[in-house]
Amino acid sequence: MTGDGGWIPENLDPARPSPARIYDYALGGGHNLASDREVFDQLVKIQPNARQIAWSNRAFMRRAVLFMIESGIRQFLDLGSGIPTVGNVHEIAQKADPECRVVYVDIEEVAIAHSRLLLDEVEKAAIVEADFTRPDDVLKHPETLKLIDFSAPIGLLAVASVHHVPAETDVYSAFDRYRDAVVPGSALAISHFTADFEKVHAKEIIEAVQAKAHNTACLRTRGEIIDLFGDFEIVSPGLVAASNWRPDITPPPGVHPEEDGIWAGVGVKR
């Protein structure tokens, strides 16, 4: 692990893995612990393609943000952002236009601690400590209101976050609220781990993570994920495997959709 450890909360149990840190390790980031790396090594035994799945998801996020910028969006609300790692939203957006504003949202202590450290001297970006399934806590937060102009289009991002919301939580009502809060021209990007792809062994992967990290998860179907977009128009190519959403290279070399493990798409409010 790299870094000086300033991102680690004092009350952190280093023996307990974190899904956010596991993802960071999968992407080649430096904010993870031995317990996280141990779990990821187990995941690779279940699915040798585990690292590529993580990269496919992160690459989708980059392409989705750039699509939104090309559509005229200059402000972003990243729901369930996790630990800032390789290729952050504000870095992608502000490289395209320095005036872009980003509000990250997460509830996990280590994600909040590291986000604050990373964003300490970054203008036009902030972290909100809130549960994104409680939209008003996000939408009415002072940091959100400081950076986000709700009279202009907003890019909503829920990248690899909704599958951490348990089935008993009404995540659909939460997304109804977010969609209602934004004006036409806004967009919503979602990527979601799924059991629809048999070759991925998604259930085994989730069980392995839950056994160590005690983190909730829900593997929704393609139809259930489409419902999260509500009345937003899902743009071409629709809800597809992450690597197949407007890839930089067509077709992406060596990538098979049935091994992606993730449905991904972008919807626009007309």
Side-chain angles (χ1 to χ4, degrees):
M1 183 185 68
T2 60
D4 61 6
W7 58 276
I8 304 176
E10 292 182 1
N11 61 346
L12 174 74
D13 178 3
R16 180 171 179 173
S18 157
R21 296 196 309 265
I22 294 169
Y23 183 53
D24 173 76
Y25 178 60
L27 293 173
H31 297 92
N32 49 79
L33 305 175
S35 58
D36 308 307
R37 298 190 286 272
E38 180 182 346
V39 172
F40 184 76
D41 290 343
Q42 293 177 11
L43 301 186
V44 171
K45 292 178 182 178
I46 298 170
Q47 175 49 258
N49 198 40
R51 197 175 293 277
Q52 180 57 47
I53 289 172
W55 273 108
S56 292
N57 179 71
R58 199 67 173 177
F60 159 73
M61 185 196 75
R62 178 183 62 81
R63 297 194 301 272
V65 169
L66 293 176
F67 166 80
M68 292 179 186
I69 288 176
E70 290 170 2
S71 302
I73 292 171
R74 293 295 183 272
Q75 50 185 354
F76 300 85
L77 198 55
D78 189 352
L79 307 172
S81 53
I83 293 176
T85 183
V86 181
N88 300 303
V89 173
H90 73 276
E91 293 170 333
I92 298 166
Q94 292 177 358
K95 182 178 180 180
D97 185 340
E99 294 305 309
C100 285
R101 304 181 302 281
V102 180
V103 172
Y104 295 101
V105 182
D106 210 285
I107 196 65
E108 188 177 27
E109 283 185 284
V110 69
I112 297 298
H114 184 49
S115 296
R116 286 174 176 160
L117 182 67
L118 177 75
L119 301 174
D120 184 46
E121 297 182 0
V122 176
E123 292 186 7
K124 302 182 179 70
I127 177 70
V128 165
E129 184 173 2
D131 180 348
F132 74 83
T133 66
R134 301 178 62 178
D136 284 347
D137 290 352
V138 176
L139 298 171
K140 297 179 180 180
H141 194 283
E143 289 289 350
T144 303
L145 297 175
K146 177 182 176 182
L147 286 176
I148 300 298
D149 175 7
F150 285 92
S151 69
I154 297 170
L156 299 169
L157 303 167
V159 179
S161 58
V162 183
H163 53 241
H164 292 299
V165 179
E168 58 269 22
T169 298
D170 186 6
V171 72
Y172 295 98
S173 291
F175 275 79
D176 287 346
R177 177 74 177 92
Y178 286 117
R179 294 194 311 272
D180 288 344
V182 300
V183 300
S186 296
L188 168 62
I190 297 175
S191 67
H192 196 299
F193 201 44
T194 181
D196 289 351
F197 303 96
E198 291 186 10
K199 290 186 178 181
V200 176
H201 307 295
K203 291 182 179 179
E204 293 178 57
I205 290 174
I206 290 298
E207 288 170 358
V209 174
Q210 288 179 322
K212 296 289 187 178
H214 311 293
N215 188 264
T216 56
C218 180
L219 296 170
R220 295 176 178 84
T221 65
R222 184 174 184 273
E224 290 172 327
I225 299 164
I226 286 176
D227 288 344
L228 292 167
F229 288 96
D231 59 356
F232 276 31
E233 177 186 330
I234 300 179
V235 300
S236 177
L239 190 70
V240 296
S243 59
N244 278 3
W245 196 87
R246 304 192 178 201
D248 297 320
I249 302 174
T250 306
V255 174
H256 304 283
E258 66 272 16
E259 296 178 0
D260 236 10
I262 294 172
W263 289 119
V266 176
V268 175
K269 186 168 186 175
R270 300 302 186 187

